[in-house]
Amino acid sequence: MATYRSVFDAAELRAQLNDAGINTKFMASIWKYVLQNPGCELGEIPDLPSSAYRLLRTKFKPFTSTVHSVFHSTDGVTTKLLIKLQNGAFVEAVIMTYDTRLGKYGGKPRLGGPRSTLCISSQVGCKMGCKFCATGTMGFKNNLTSGEIVEQLVHASLLTNIRNVVFMVGIIHAINKLHSDLPGLNLAVSLHAPVQEIRCQIMPSARAFPLEKLMTALQTYQKN
């Protein structure tokens, strides 16, 4: 079976358009049409050069993944999407909805209202082996392409308006690298336990990332 790239894989789409001598300004038109018409075929996108249609037809698909199933929590706060990739593997994306007006900030009622955050997958499986996570039992399979990652956001956006997107980051050297690679991102780390010994029991990888060194990395990130 032929393997296609996602039209939302920005780097690949830009490179292919450049190689074909097609102006990359058409990328925005392609994305806008697919977002507004999620069931479309790429040949339906209006006002593209003829060479662009040939390229899109042979190299890309509007979506390389499909939503296999959707699960809603009984309290209505969480929605889990099970997404099937074109290679047959499955990943999960989780929508978490909460009301920012709950609680207080500085002794005063908080502003805002209901908003949704999407936690997305960046790989199939995981080698961390955390005791509380089913994905950790799979072992690491492969990293996702940028298009497969973005498609999770697109799928979720068809269900609700997504305000924030989060990745899982708890590895010290990756935290140190994150600031230089993608400056300006907010960083939050779930410790799962405030004591290193307990963290090691539920997250074997915590042995390589002691709490003291992790906190130092977070403080450095915050200062930067």
Side-chain angles (χ1 to χ4, degrees):
M1 184 178 68
T3 300
Y4 294 87
R5 297 302 292 258
S6 168
V7 76
F8 293 104
D9 187 334
E12 183 67 19
L13 180 59
R14 181 178 291 107
Q16 292 284 351
L17 291 175
N18 277 325
D19 289 346
I22 302 170
N23 197 319
T24 55
K25 71 177 183 180
F26 291 108
M27 292 173 65
S29 300
I30 294 169
W31 290 334
K32 181 178 181 179
Y33 189 86
V34 175
L35 287 170
Q36 294 177 343
N37 305 273
C40 74
E41 296 293 336
L42 294 177
E44 300 171 7
I45 302 173
D47 303 323
L48 297 180
S50 58
S51 56
Y53 291 112
R54 290 193 296 270
L55 174 65
L56 293 174
R57 185 172 60 252
T58 57
K59 301 285 187 178
F60 295 91
K61 279 190 174 182
F63 291 90
T64 59
S65 63
T66 58
V67 177
H68 181 268
S69 52
V70 178
F71 304 94
H72 301 283
S73 62
T74 55
D75 59 8
V77 172
T78 303
T79 299
K80 181 167 68 175
L81 285 69
L82 183 62
I83 296 173
K84 186 176 182 179
L85 308 178
Q86 65 175 326
N87 65 1
F90 291 90
V91 295
E92 293 181 347
V94 181
I95 302 171
M96 299 167 287
T97 303
Y98 59 97
D99 193 332
T100 58
R101 294 169 296 187
L102 299 176
K104 293 185 177 181
Y105 183 78
K108 300 179 180 179
R110 300 180 61 174
L111 302 176
R115 71 182 187 186
S116 296
T117 293
L118 179 68
C119 181
I120 57 181
S121 295
S122 59
Q123 59 190 29
V124 178
C126 180
K127 62 182 178 181
M128 294 303 176
C130 299
K131 303 299 183 183
F132 53 83
C133 179
T135 304
T137 64
M138 296 171 54
F140 173 74
K141 304 298 182 183
N142 61 270
N143 289 318
L144 301 184
T145 67
S146 62
E148 289 171 330
I149 293 173
V150 174
E151 282 184 21
Q152 296 172 62
L153 172 59
V154 178
H155 288 311
S157 296
L158 297 176
L159 299 178
T160 187
N161 182 40
I162 302 298
R163 170 70 180 272
N164 301 311
V165 176
V166 296
F167 287 87
M168 296 293 101
V169 179
I171 300 174
I172 293 174
H173 62 267
I175 292 174
N176 295 334
K177 189 172 182 292
L178 182 64
H179 175 71
S180 59
D181 287 352
L182 294 169
L185 292 182
N186 290 328
L187 176 66
V189 173
S190 297
L191 298 178
H192 301 295
V195 179
Q196 178 64 12
E197 181 180 354
I198 300 176
R199 293 180 72 243
C200 291
Q201 292 174 7
I202 61 178
M203 297 187 300
S205 62
R207 295 186 179 91
F209 310 109
L211 187 57
E212 182 179 352
K213 292 184 178 180
L214 176 59
M215 296 306 295
T216 298
L218 295 178
Q219 290 169 353
T220 300
Y221 188 94
Q222 183 66 25
K223 290 178 182 178
N224 291 335

